[in-house]
mmCIF file of all heavy atoms in Angstrom:
data_model
loop_
_atom_site.group_PDB
_atom_site.id
_atom_site.type_symbol
_atom_site.label_atom_id
_atom_site.label_comp_id
_atom_site.label_asym_id
_atom_site.label_seq_id
_atom_site.Cartn_x
_atom_site.Cartn_y
_atom_site.Cartn_z
ATOM 1 N N LEU A 61 51.324 -20.291 12.340
ATOM 2 C CA LEU A 61 51.879 -21.279 11.196
ATOM 3 C C LEU A 61 52.817 -20.401 10.384
ATOM 4 O O LEU A 61 52.665 -19.161 10.031
ATOM 5 C CB LEU A 61 50.806 -21.698 10.272
ATOM 6 C CG LEU A 61 49.783 -22.730 10.933
ATOM 7 C CD1 LEU A 61 48.598 -22.818 9.982
ATOM 8 C CD2 LEU A 61 50.500 -23.936 11.251
ATOM 9 N N ASP A 62 53.913 -20.955 10.089
ATOM 10 C CA ASP A 62 55.081 -20.265 9.320
ATOM 11 C C ASP A 62 55.727 -21.271 8.362
ATOM 12 O O ASP A 62 55.339 -22.454 8.355
ATOM 13 C CB ASP A 62 56.060 -19.551 10.228
ATOM 14 C CG ASP A 62 56.705 -20.485 11.202
ATOM 15 O OD1 ASP A 62 56.680 -21.711 10.979
ATOM 16 O OD2 ASP A 62 57.272 -19.985 12.180
ATOM 17 N N GLY A 63 56.808 -20.776 7.653
ATOM 18 C CA GLY A 63 57.465 -21.674 6.742
ATOM 19 C C GLY A 63 58.078 -22.872 7.414
ATOM 20 O O GLY A 63 58.134 -24.030 6.832
ATOM 21 N N THR A 64 58.581 -22.756 8.649
ATOM 22 C CA THR A 64 59.113 -23.855 9.270
ATOM 23 C C THR A 64 58.140 -24.932 9.630
ATOM 24 O O THR A 64 58.391 -26.198 9.436
ATOM 25 C CB THR A 64 59.768 -23.413 10.710
ATOM 26 O OG1 THR A 64 60.822 -22.351 10.440
ATOM 27 C CG2 THR A 64 60.368 -24.537 11.381
ATOM 28 N N VAL A 65 56.915 -24.572 10.038
ATOM 29 C CA VAL A 65 55.830 -25.484 10.265
ATOM 30 C C VAL A 65 55.466 -26.328 8.962
ATOM 31 O O VAL A 65 55.349 -27.406 8.971
ATOM 32 C CB VAL A 65 54.682 -24.891 10.891
ATOM 33 C CG1 VAL A 65 53.549 -25.837 11.041
ATOM 34 C CG2 VAL A 65 54.984 -24.062 12.245
ATOM 35 N N LEU A 66 55.352 -25.483 7.929
ATOM 36 C CA LEU A 66 55.007 -26.126 6.580
ATOM 37 C C LEU A 66 55.981 -27.005 6.120
ATOM 38 O O LEU A 66 55.808 -28.037 5.545
ATOM 39 C CB LEU A 66 54.601 -24.989 5.642
ATOM 40 C CG LEU A 66 53.398 -24.073 5.969
ATOM 41 C CD1 LEU A 66 53.289 -23.005 4.844
ATOM 42 C CD2 LEU A 66 52.224 -24.953 6.014
ATOM 43 N N ALA A 67 57.282 -26.627 6.346
ATOM 44 C CA ALA A 67 58.394 -27.485 5.888
ATOM 45 C C ALA A 67 58.400 -28.805 6.699
ATOM 46 O O ALA A 67 58.795 -29.890 6.097
ATOM 47 C CB ALA A 67 59.756 -26.739 6.012
ATOM 48 N N ALA A 68 58.097 -28.707 7.979
ATOM 49 C CA ALA A 68 58.013 -29.807 8.805
ATOM 50 C C ALA A 68 56.877 -30.852 8.334
ATOM 51 O O ALA A 68 57.106 -32.018 8.207
ATOM 52 C CB ALA A 68 57.975 -29.540 10.289
ATOM 53 N N LEU A 69 55.741 -30.253 8.109
ATOM 54 C CA LEU A 69 54.660 -31.180 7.490
ATOM 55 C C LEU A 69 55.012 -31.756 6.215
ATOM 56 O O LEU A 69 54.776 -32.860 6.106
ATOM 57 C CB LEU A 69 53.501 -30.225 7.322
ATOM 58 C CG LEU A 69 52.768 -29.828 8.642
ATOM 59 C CD1 LEU A 69 51.683 -28.752 8.410
ATOM 60 C CD2 LEU A 69 52.036 -31.007 9.243
ATOM 61 N N ALA A 70 55.704 -31.044 5.350
ATOM 62 C CA ALA A 70 56.047 -31.551 4.036
ATOM 63 C C ALA A 70 57.044 -32.733 4.146
ATOM 64 O O ALA A 70 57.078 -33.775 3.522
ATOM 65 C CB ALA A 70 56.596 -30.426 3.149
ATOM 66 N N GLN A 128 58.543 -28.603 19.510
ATOM 67 C CA GLN A 128 57.512 -27.645 19.261
ATOM 68 C C GLN A 128 56.226 -28.360 19.165
ATOM 69 O O GLN A 128 56.087 -29.436 18.728
ATOM 70 C CB GLN A 128 57.865 -26.797 18.040
ATOM 71 C CG GLN A 128 59.149 -25.953 18.216
ATOM 72 C CD GLN A 128 59.077 -24.877 19.204
ATOM 73 O OE1 GLN A 128 58.054 -24.219 19.440
ATOM 74 N NE2 GLN A 128 60.156 -24.915 20.047
ATOM 75 N N TYR A 130 53.846 -27.987 16.935
ATOM 76 C CA TYR A 130 53.355 -28.438 15.677
ATOM 77 C C TYR A 130 53.890 -29.817 15.205
ATOM 78 O O TYR A 130 53.367 -30.377 14.291
ATOM 79 C CB TYR A 130 53.864 -27.319 14.789
ATOM 80 C CG TYR A 130 55.371 -27.127 14.495
ATOM 81 C CD1 TYR A 130 56.215 -28.128 13.907
ATOM 82 C CD2 TYR A 130 56.003 -26.053 14.994
ATOM 83 C CE1 TYR A 130 57.546 -27.900 13.808
ATOM 84 C CE2 TYR A 130 57.359 -25.835 14.935
ATOM 85 C CZ TYR A 130 58.140 -26.716 14.385
ATOM 86 O OH TYR A 130 59.563 -26.475 14.245
ATOM 87 N N MET A 131 54.742 -30.357 15.986
ATOM 88 C CA MET A 131 55.293 -31.755 15.641
ATOM 89 C C MET A 131 54.020 -32.781 15.834
ATOM 90 O O MET A 131 54.078 -33.871 15.276
ATOM 91 C CB MET A 131 56.370 -32.113 16.575
ATOM 92 C CG MET A 131 57.677 -31.326 16.221
ATOM 93 S SD MET A 131 58.085 -31.349 14.445
ATOM 94 C CE MET A 131 58.330 -33.174 14.243
ATOM 95 N N VAL A 134 52.646 -32.927 12.430
ATOM 96 C CA VAL A 134 53.508 -33.776 11.550
ATOM 97 C C VAL A 134 53.269 -35.189 11.872
ATOM 98 O O VAL A 134 53.164 -36.033 10.927
ATOM 99 C CB VAL A 134 54.980 -33.408 11.922
ATOM 100 C CG1 VAL A 134 55.977 -34.212 11.075
ATOM 101 C CG2 VAL A 134 55.206 -31.892 11.477
ATOM 102 N N GLY A 251 65.455 -33.085 9.725
ATOM 103 C CA GLY A 251 64.826 -32.041 10.623
ATOM 104 C C GLY A 251 65.877 -30.871 10.712
ATOM 105 O O GLY A 251 65.468 -29.681 10.667
ATOM 106 N N ILE A 254 66.196 -28.735 7.524
ATOM 107 C CA ILE A 254 65.128 -27.745 7.243
ATOM 108 C C ILE A 254 65.015 -26.740 8.235
ATOM 109 O O ILE A 254 64.016 -25.881 8.129
ATOM 110 C CB ILE A 254 63.726 -28.446 6.990
ATOM 111 C CG1 ILE A 254 63.335 -29.126 8.137
ATOM 112 C CG2 ILE A 254 63.783 -29.359 5.850
ATOM 113 C CD1 ILE A 254 61.801 -29.753 8.089
ATOM 114 N N GLY A 255 65.847 -26.785 9.183
ATOM 115 C CA GLY A 255 66.024 -25.605 10.075
ATOM 116 C C GLY A 255 65.164 -25.843 11.564
ATOM 117 O O GLY A 255 64.852 -24.813 12.187
ATOM 118 N N LEU A 256 64.837 -27.052 11.846
ATOM 119 C CA LEU A 256 64.105 -27.267 12.988
ATOM 120 C C LEU A 256 64.993 -27.134 14.255
ATOM 121 O O LEU A 256 66.233 -27.383 14.108
ATOM 122 C CB LEU A 256 63.504 -28.599 13.056
ATOM 123 C CG LEU A 256 62.520 -28.966 11.891
ATOM 124 C CD1 LEU A 256 61.880 -30.439 12.211
ATOM 125 C CD2 LEU A 256 61.415 -27.883 11.891
ATOM 126 N N ASP A 257 64.529 -26.784 15.385
ATOM 127 C CA ASP A 257 65.233 -26.745 16.605
ATOM 128 C C ASP A 257 65.744 -28.149 17.018
ATOM 129 O O ASP A 257 65.187 -29.165 16.418
ATOM 130 C CB ASP A 257 64.514 -26.117 17.771
ATOM 131 C CG ASP A 257 63.268 -26.716 18.040
ATOM 132 O OD1 ASP A 257 63.269 -27.691 18.855
ATOM 133 O OD2 ASP A 257 62.146 -26.356 17.485
ATOM 134 N N SER A 260 62.722 -30.602 18.151
ATOM 135 C CA SER A 260 61.816 -30.917 17.049
ATOM 136 C C SER A 260 62.600 -31.765 15.962
ATOM 137 O O SER A 260 61.866 -32.706 15.427
ATOM 138 C CB SER A 260 61.299 -29.619 16.308
ATOM 139 O OG SER A 260 60.624 -28.781 17.291
#
Side-chain angles (χ1 to χ4, degrees):
L61 292 172
D62 56 20
T64 302
V65 177
L66 296 176
L69 284 168
Q128 297 299 313
Y130 59 75
M131 293 306 298
V134 177
I254 62 176
L256 302 185
D257 59 90
S260 298

